[in-house]
Amino acid sequence: MAEAPVSFSGLLRRLRTQEQLTQEELASAASLSRRAVSDLERGVATTPQRETVRLLADALRLIGPARAEFEATARGRPPIRRPDAAAALHSLPRDVATFTGRQRELQQLAEAAAGACRVVAVHAIGGMAGVGKTAFAIHASHRLAGKFPDGQIFLLLHGHTPGRPPVDPADALAGLLLTIGVPAAQIPPGLDPRIALWRDRVSARRLLLVLDDAASSDQVKPLLPSTAGSLVLITSRRHLSALDDATTISLDTLPPTEAAILLVRLAGRARLSPADPSVADIVKLCGYLPLALGMVARQLHHHPAWTAAGRAAELAAARDRLGLLVTESLSVAAAFDLSYADLNQDQQRLFRRLGLHPGADIDAYGAAALDGADLEVARRGLEALYDQYLLTEPAQGRFGLHDLIRAHARALADRLDAPSDRQAATTRLLDYYQHTAARANALIMRQARPVPTVRPGGMPAAAPAFADLEEALAWARGERTSLLACLDYAVRTGQHAQVMTLTASIAGLLRRDGPWAEAIGRHASAVEAARRLGDRLGLANALNDMGDLWRMTGGWAAAGKALEQALAVYRELGDQLGQANALHDLGTGHRLTGDYRAAGKALEQALSIYRELGDRRGQANALSELGAARPGYLAAAEALEQALSIYRELGDRRGQASTLNFLGTVWCQADDYPAAAAAQEQALGICRELGDRLGQAHTMRGLATVWRLTGDYESAEQALEQALGIYRDLGARNGEAHALHDQGIVWRLTGDYEAAEQALEQALGLFVSLGARSGEAGALHDLGIVRRRMGDYPAAVQALERSLGVYREVGLRDAEARTLNERGTLHRLMGELAQAEESHRRALELARAVGTSRNEAAALAGLARCALAVGDAAQAGPLLGEAFEIFQRIGAAEALGVQAELDALTRPRSA
């Protein structure tokens, strides 16, 4: 017997009583007058306004079916109660002409239909609310109907229909049996007899059965035919993982292009194009969700005065975007509410709190912190939400929310949870990320740091453990987006302690992966936060981190200022480790700008403090930089070998790679190319294993230098192109300048002088802007060579003189010898033989003093050519012979040219 319709007055009174509210309390919560509530409950007011109903529903905390029933009853249309037999249709619902996309999935079903003669083909079509599961199933069914001559049946199972429970399987079977012609009197009572009768009656038929909006696998299992020949399409908002042999088709949101086409089709505006920028904005703001797209499209269709650009702007500016995605009695929020209502209380709370997460995705550890729950409880909760298509799983163990579902979860949290509960949840999450990131950072950073100030009560209940650098780095990279989103949230909400500590905790990740320009801004925010807190140690750490990154981007002046300030604070606090770290970074900056004296002084001080502290890694770091800064090859190699030994003792692979790179450079400058190549190859292998992109760029540059000096220009050019790409990705301007410089040298050697000049001018501009004096001198030297080859002798002289001046200023004697040789060549070509000979003799003295064989051989060859220019072959021959022997011994490409000159000298006499 049908139930008597429920009046709105009676329903309102019952719900208020259940919430234990007086009329006055309900009126206050809903921002209504007590008289208005009283009139509604007494039936005096029988047609409440829509806004009044919404306010009352919010105040009564109604969601899902309960809210839908409340709203329907207010409109005088109480929900229909479930009959004893489900109403199955012997025909398919109407297909829509505007159906868009899903071609891959449609093809999958077409192939399944072709094979349905062998088995019962069951396809579970899943997806989040509003993704278009039913529309897809109906569209596919119309396309496939001809392959199933015995009929098509559509049965709505009401898994998520407001105001009614899911269809009972026995009732569903009764509806199916009636649809295929079984008289009602012949339908037996009970589930099992109905299953048997249904399967018997359809055993010889080829049917297309659409089961729409299934609540669970248990609901649909009894409805499946048992013999081959039929195709069953099941739509559900749940993963029906318990259905044996069912093929899952999980529908995602539409691709942007297809979403734009759907919006335009539904809007029905002749002048609206999928290529319109406002269309792209709308579909993005709708999360590419068909339900949301349809609502905005219908709004545009029924409001000719509205523009797509205007609606896009309104959606973008709305604090409650879901509130705009409404048409008549339909809304995106209501569709989401139906899925939310299926959850138990703990799952609902977890869902709401996930909406508070500033990041894009989360794992079980983060969810446990956010929800204040046990790790296993959080893991099960995430799985339950994923099962309901409320979460996606972009990677194993990581779960995300669609943008609109996130907005809905946040709106529910704002409405149902106290502000203190929401604040506590986000605080637990930030504490978890800060604590775990700090532990990862200790492994990622190549140097111990002064212990930062840690807020009390910030220890998470559960956090992942890291066995080594690789695990720590994998975690940090996997959580990078969430870490930065939480940091942005802390900045936005003025949580200075979290800004300072969380930034310090990801310093190693930012330093390693960049982009450094963005990272500098984050450290600047940490500096400001530390100053506001009056945390002197936190301030020094933040300044040191910021200065280190300024150095890595080539901002030497800013780097020096920040590092000097950090050093001063560390000295004020008496923090020796901080002082050593700041001195190390200052020394590195001085080395990179060519101030080797200042570099040596700072690094020696750092080394002394590290030794006093017993800090082995600090000692290795300082020795490695000292090796790179010392001008003599023997002294440099000695320091680097010491550093390498300590790194190997510590198992520090990244330190080994960096030191091997420096050693490769030293051996290259000492003309030991096999040793240089071996060191760089080892360094590159380690960097690739570690995923250290900056290290890879440095070592590829080092290898390119070896290949260039031994005549393999093609390999050198390829390596430099790769290195240049990495430097530009990371924003490493100093590395970019060096790679451009090296490219210019390679192109000059291959005869492409215009490209060489362009690359060298770019490099020179970068070096000058960075204040990198040695780099500036090197670029000028090679510009002089290129311009000499292009015949522009005055410009070549000017470049070489400027280069010599800088080299003498910074004390690079081997580089000075190289430039003197080039100046000697230029003077000889200009006919100024006395000046040429003087330059080569000075270069020879410097080369022998420093011990650079290549420069020595070049000076000898230059002197020989000066002798040949005045016809003194007797003097030239021995000089060329000596030069050839040196070039050949070190494996230099120049040996071939000198050999040709020697052959030319001896040919006339043999003739």
Side-chain angles (χ1 to χ4, degrees), residues 554-557 589 592-595 765-776:
W556 312 120
L592 291 170
T593 53
D595 190 348
L766 281 170
F767 284 131
V768 170
S769 69
L770 295 170
R773 299 288 282 155
S774 59
E776 176 188 350

Side-chain angles (χ1 to χ4, degrees), residues 529-770:
R531 285 188 171 130
R532 286 174 176 265
L533 292 168
D535 189 321
R536 300 292 287 165
L537 181 57
L539 173 62
N541 287 343
L543 284 165
N544 201 88
D545 288 334
M546 184 170 69
D548 185 39
L549 284 174
W550 271 120
R551 173 186 62 76
M552 294 179 74
T553 58
W556 312 120
K561 180 179 179 182
L563 291 169
E564 289 287 1
Q565 290 178 16
L567 181 60
V569 177
Y570 285 133
R571 282 172 171 161
E572 169 197 321
L573 297 173
D575 192 307
Q576 285 191 291
L577 179 59
Q579 292 174 52
N581 290 345
L583 285 164
H584 170 273
D585 292 342
L586 277 167
T588 303
H590 289 314
R591 173 181 67 80
L592 291 170
T593 53
D595 190 348
Y596 295 105
R597 296 183 184 88
K601 180 179 178 181
L603 290 166
E604 289 287 0
Q605 290 181 55
L607 179 61
S608 176
I609 296 174
Y610 286 134
R611 282 174 171 159
E612 184 178 339
L613 295 172
D615 186 336
R616 297 287 283 162
R617 179 170 277 105
Q619 293 171 47
N621 291 343
L623 284 165
S624 184
E625 284 294 333
L626 270 171
R630 285 176 175 170
Y633 302 128
L634 293 178
E638 180 185 5
L640 291 169
E641 290 290 357
Q642 289 180 49
L644 187 59
S645 176
I646 297 174
Y647 284 134
R648 285 173 173 159
E649 168 195 322
L650 297 172
D652 186 336
R653 301 275 286 158
R654 191 174 176 212
Q656 293 172 46
S658 176
T659 305
L660 284 165
N661 176 246
F662 285 149
L663 268 172
T665 301
V666 168
W667 297 136
C668 198
Q669 291 170 346
D671 306 314
D672 189 345
Y673 302 125
Q680 298 288 10
E681 289 284 5
Q682 287 184 62
L684 182 58
I686 295 172
C687 290
R688 282 175 173 162
E689 287 176 18
L690 298 178
D692 182 353
R693 297 185 71 216
L694 182 62
Q696 290 177 53
H698 288 337
T699 52
M700 282 190 286
R701 263 193 58 231
L703 278 169
T705 300
V706 176
W707 288 327
R708 167 174 60 81
L709 292 172
T710 54
D712 188 353
Y713 302 136
E714 183 178 352
S715 296
E717 189 172 345
Q718 291 174 358
L720 289 170
E721 194 63 40
Q722 293 178 53
L724 188 59
I726 295 174
Y727 286 134
R728 284 173 171 162
D729 283 348
L730 294 175
R733 296 173 67 220
N734 186 52
E736 179 184 358
H738 279 290
L740 284 166
H741 182 187
D742 293 346
Q743 273 189 334
I745 297 173
V746 172
W747 285 330
R748 185 254 298 171
L749 291 170
T750 57
D752 190 348
Y753 299 134
E754 290 185 1
E757 183 180 37
Q758 184 179 3
L760 290 166
E761 284 177 342
Q762 289 180 50
L764 178 61
L766 281 170
F767 284 131
V768 170
S769 69
L770 295 170

Side-chain angles (χ1 to χ4, degrees), residues 156-169:
L156 180 58
L157 295 175
H158 295 295
H160 300 85
T161 300
R164 65 178 302 163
V167 173
D168 185 84

